[in-house]
Amino acid sequence: MYFAITAEQERSLLVAADGGDDDEVGEILEVLEESWDDDRLKADTDKAWDAIHRCLADGTLDPDGGEYPLSHAVLGGRHLHDEYYVVHLTADQVRDVSDALQPVDRAWLRRRFDTIDDPGYRGARDDVDFDYTWVNFVDVREFYQRAAAARRAVIFTAT
């Protein structure tokens, strides 16, 4: 899930993470997810986040793989939790990612998708898998556009 969070929500998460309190980060996220009421400022990629990151980065799930800003669309950024993905991007980074995602077209993403060669990737790597990845990528791109327009930071979460 992606959430375009308010400055207050961002501060709470960063204070908890700076204190090394994974439990508090988890509690803040749980409240955030349960109380979220703006569908335009969230996005759900289901399992497609894996392929999207690989396509936009270096073909792996390495959060440091690939080049900024595309590599930050999913797993790049500051990790706020030790047990699962809670990745934070500042509002400035969100704008950079949004700008970088705009020119990505289906053909470009397909070329990147076809080069995934990591045995850890569990997708089928066929046309159906790519179509699923593409549809979710478009949702992520549109989400980043809305988040950047709202000047919000973003949190990506996955377990």
Side-chain angles (χ1 to χ4, degrees), residues 7-153:
E8 182 180 326
Q9 291 164 330
E10 180 182 30
R11 274 190 300 278
S12 295
L13 280 166
L14 293 177
V15 165
D18 288 344
D21 193 340
D22 280 351
D23 291 337
E24 186 176 353
V25 169
E27 289 170 15
I28 292 168
L29 284 174
E30 187 175 325
V31 168
L32 188 141
E33 290 174 5
E34 289 174 1
S35 64
W36 199 264
D37 63 355
D38 189 346
D39 287 343
R40 292 188 41 77
L41 292 175
K42 79 173 185 179
D44 183 357
T45 59
D46 193 35
K47 304 262 186 244
W49 65 266
D50 183 313
I52 293 168
H53 178 76
R54 291 171 189 274
C55 290
L56 298 176
D58 66 353
T60 72
L61 287 183
D62 181 355
D64 298 321
E67 293 186 25
Y68 179 84
L70 286 178
S71 65
H72 280 54
V74 184
L75 296 180
R78 181 176 174 198
H79 289 244
L80 304 181
H81 200 281
D82 290 330
E83 294 178 32
Y84 52 89
Y85 291 118
V86 179
V87 185
H88 168 257
L89 294 182
T90 66
D92 287 341
Q93 291 171 316
V94 168
R95 184 193 64 241
D96 292 347
V97 169
S98 177
D99 290 347
L101 293 176
Q102 296 317 304
V104 173
D105 64 14
R106 186 179 178 94
W108 184 91
L109 198 73
R110 181 63 194 239
R111 285 191 300 276
R112 300 289 294 224
F113 179 85
D114 288 342
T115 65
I116 295 173
D117 190 29
D118 184 341
Y121 180 65
R122 295 184 180 151
R125 284 185 261 174
D126 59 12
D127 290 342
V128 171
D129 190 23
F130 175 74
D131 288 342
Y132 174 75
T133 301
W134 173 251
V135 166
N136 281 280
F137 167 78
V138 170
D139 287 346
V140 167
R141 181 171 58 193
E142 291 170 357
F143 163 79
Y144 269 106
Q145 247 185 327
R146 293 187 302 269
R151 294 184 175 96
R152 296 257 186 127

